Amino acid sequence: MGSSVRELAGKTPPGRDRYIDLLRVASLGTVVVGHWLMAAVAVGDDGRAEVGNLLAVVPGLQILTWALQIMPVFFFVGGFSHALSYRSLSRGSEGPSVYSAFLRARLQRLLRPTMVFIGVWGAAALALQLLGQGGGLLDVALRLVAQPLWFIGVYLAMVALTPPLLRLHERWGWGAFGALVTAAGAVDVARFAFGVPYVEFLNFAFVWLAVHQLGFLRADGRLRMPYAMAGTGLAVAALLVALGPYPLSMVGMPGERVSNMAPPTFALLCHGLWLVGAVELLRAPASRWLARPRVWRGVVAANGISMTAFLWHLTAMLAVYGAQLALDVPLPEPASAPWWAQVLPRMAAAAVVTAAFVALFRRFERPSAPRRPAPASGPAAALGVTLCLFGVLGLSMVGFAGLLEGRSALLIAVHVTAPAAVAMTLAGWLLVERVGRGAVGDYA
C-alpha cells in the first residue's frame, strides 16, 4: 500500500484543499476514539455483561462532547466535497445522467464497505441464531454494532439532496442557510413551547442540511469571520443549555427525556456552527503543516481506509471486551481507578483489532474502474438512494439481533425488521450502482 499512497500523494492537484481531507479523517477518528472511551462494559449482579456509557456514570464528563461530538464537521466537509463533485460532473452535461453519475461517484466508497459490513454481520447473526448460540456480550454486540449506521443514512440524504440545495445556495447564498436555521428554530419552538407532536423529527433534515450548507459556502469562499461563527455558536449553545430544555451532552444519554442528537435540536445546530468556526480558525497553520510530504501521505493513506475503520471500530472494541471476559480478566466498575488504568491498553488493543479488520476489508473501499455505462435514469437513482436511506436507518435502529423472530423498530410510523432493512439497502445499492456506471470526475 505504501507505493500506491506515495503515487496518489504525488499526483495531488496543486489546487486541492488538503485541509478538507484532514478534517474528514480527523472527524471520523474523533468519533472512533469517543466511542471507545464512552463504552463501559461491566458484569451485573446476575453475571450478565452490560454495556453502559461513561458519560452517564460521570455526568461531569459530558462537557467533553462539546469537542468530541464532531459529526457536524464531517457533514460540513461533505457539503464542500459534494458541491465540487456535482459541479465537475455538470460541466458540459445536464439531465438525469448527471444526477445518477453523481450519486454513484459519491456513494461508491461509502456503500460498498457498508454492504460488506452488513453482509458479514447479517450472516454471522443468522448462523448464531440457527445454531442456538448467543447470550451475554454477543447479544449486546448484535444490537449495538449497527447503531453508527445512522450516520450513513443521514449522509445518504445529504448526497441525494445536493443538486436542489446547491441550486438554492447559488441563488440565495447565506439566505438558503438562514432559511434552514430558521426552520430548525421554529421546529424546536413548536416542540417545546407548544407541544406539537412528531414535529421534532423534521430537524433530522433542517439541522444537518444547514451544516451541510455551510460546506457549500466554504466551497465558494464565502465562509468568512470564523471568530464570529465560533463565538456566536458557542455562546448561543451555552445559553440554550443553561436556560432552555436542552441537556449538556451533545450526544444521546440513556434515560434522558430530551436528546440533542435524536432528533437533533437547535442547540446541536449552534454546536455545529461553533465547531465549523473553530476548525476554520485552524485552517492556515494546518495547511502549512499539510504541505510536508510525509504528513500529506499519512492523510492520503488514512482517507483510503477511514470508512472501513469507522464501520468496524465498535466490533473491535466489543471483541476486546469479549476477550477480557473469556480470559477472566477483571472488568472493574466503570470510572473507578482500575477502570481508568485499563483505558489506554484497551483502546490500543481495539486499534490493533480495527487494523486487522481494515486489512481484511479495505479493498472494498477502493473505487472500481468505470465500466460500460448503463442507461442513466435520475428517478431510478433517486429510488435507489431512498431505499438505501431507509434500509440503513432501519438497521441502525433494529440491529442484527433476532433476525428470524420478527423483531422490529419504528421508523417514521413504519415498523421495520432487520431482514427488510437489509433487503432495502441491497436493492437500493444495486440500483445506484447500475444507473450510475461510467461516472467520472469525483472530488473524493
Side-chain angles (χ1 to χ4, degrees):
M1 184 176 178
S3 60
S4 61
V5 167
R6 187 178 296 273
E7 291 170 5
L8 285 172
K11 294 177 182 177
T12 303
R16 187 177 181 96
D17 193 328
R18 300 183 179 195
Y19 187 45
I20 287 293
D21 294 280
L22 175 63
L23 289 179
R24 182 187 293 112
V25 171
S27 56
L28 285 179
T30 301
V31 171
V32 168
V33 171
H35 284 170
W36 285 349
L37 181 62
M38 288 189 296
V41 175
V43 178
D45 295 335
D46 58 357
R48 299 183 62 182
E50 302 170 348
V51 178
N53 190 317
L54 175 66
L55 302 183
V57 177
V58 188
L61 293 178
Q62 292 178 16
I63 191 64
L64 295 178
T65 63
W66 289 53
L68 294 177
Q69 172 47 291
I70 202 77
M71 271 304 178
V73 174
F74 188 89
F75 294 141
F76 160 70
V77 168
F80 176 92
S81 299
H82 297 161
L84 295 187
S85 177
Y86 188 75
R87 286 168 174 169
S88 174
L89 287 167
S90 298
R91 293 189 187 106
S93 303
E94 57 184 24
S97 61
V98 174
Y99 184 66
S100 56
F102 167 73
L103 286 183
R104 185 173 187 267
R106 294 310 304 167
L107 297 182
Q108 191 179 64
R109 286 179 56 191
L110 180 72
L111 285 179
R112 287 182 179 178
T114 300
M115 292 308 305
V116 171
F117 174 81
I118 291 173
V120 171
W121 263 108
L126 184 60
L128 288 169
Q129 189 166 2
L130 290 174
L131 294 172
Q133 301 297 315
L137 189 60
L138 187 56
D139 284 348
V140 175
L142 289 171
R143 294 196 309 270
L144 289 185
V145 293
Q147 286 186 1
L149 293 178
W150 73 265
F151 145 76
I152 306 288
V154 172
Y155 199 78
L156 286 169
M158 290 179 173
V159 174
L161 293 172
T162 287
L165 289 177
L166 189 56
R167 286 193 290 270
L168 287 176
H169 159 74
E170 289 168 347
R171 181 171 182 180
W172 301 106
W174 277 98
F177 169 75
L180 288 168
V181 171
T182 301
V187 164
D188 273 16
V189 170
R191 174 187 182 184
F192 295 118
F194 299 103
V196 178
Y198 304 115
V199 70
E200 62 267 26
F201 294 104
L202 291 174
N203 268 350
F204 275 111
F206 294 143
V207 168
W208 291 125
L209 289 177
V211 176
H212 189 245
Q213 208 80 7
L214 288 174
F216 294 167
L217 292 161
R218 170 73 157 75
D220 287 349
R222 302 177 65 180
L223 204 62
R224 302 183 183 93
M225 298 188 297
Y227 287 101
M229 287 179 56
T232 301
L234 185 59
V236 176
L239 284 173
L240 289 172
V241 169
L243 305 177
Y246 305 97
L248 174 65
S249 175
M250 289 297 162
V251 300
M253 288 288 102
E256 277 194 329
R257 186 179 64 85
V258 176
S259 166
N260 280 319
M261 271 291 295
T265 64
F266 192 74
L268 183 66
L269 175 54
C270 294
H271 169 70
L273 188 65
W274 122 251
L275 283 180
V276 170
V279 298
E280 282 294 287
L281 288 172
L282 299 174
R283 177 178 170 186
S287 296
R288 290 192 294 271
W289 182 60
L290 289 166
R292 302 177 181 178
R294 182 175 297 180
V295 173
W296 177 236
R297 286 197 296 271
V299 173
V300 170
N303 259 303
I305 61 171
S306 58
M307 189 53 58
T308 304
F310 172 81
L311 287 165
W312 291 98
H313 77 278
L314 270 186
T315 303
M317 175 54 76
L318 291 170
V320 171
Y321 270 117
Q324 285 189 257
L325 290 171
L327 297 172
D328 290 326
V329 177
L331 291 180
E333 182 181 350
S336 64
W339 187 90
W340 283 110
Q342 288 186 0
V343 165
L344 288 181
R346 186 166 53 240
M347 291 176 69
V352 171
V353 178
T354 301
F357 282 125
V358 167
L360 187 61
F361 298 119
R362 68 185 180 189
R363 65 183 182 276
F364 298 104
E365 196 167 343
R366 298 170 186 162
S368 64
R371 293 169 286 179
R372 183 174 59 86
S377 169
L383 173 62
V385 78
T386 301
L387 288 171
C388 286
L389 165 64
F390 284 101
V392 167
L393 286 178
L395 194 56
S396 74
M397 298 174 68
V398 73
F400 292 100
L403 286 179
L404 301 179
E405 297 169 0
R407 183 173 178 266
S408 66
L410 188 63
L411 176 64
I412 314 179
V414 177
H415 286 278
V416 179
T417 63
V422 171
M424 281 192 291
T425 308
L426 178 60
W429 170 61
L430 292 174
L431 197 54
V432 170
E433 281 279 315
R434 180 180 183 277
V435 300
R437 287 178 185 174
V440 293
D442 180 34
Y443 187 99

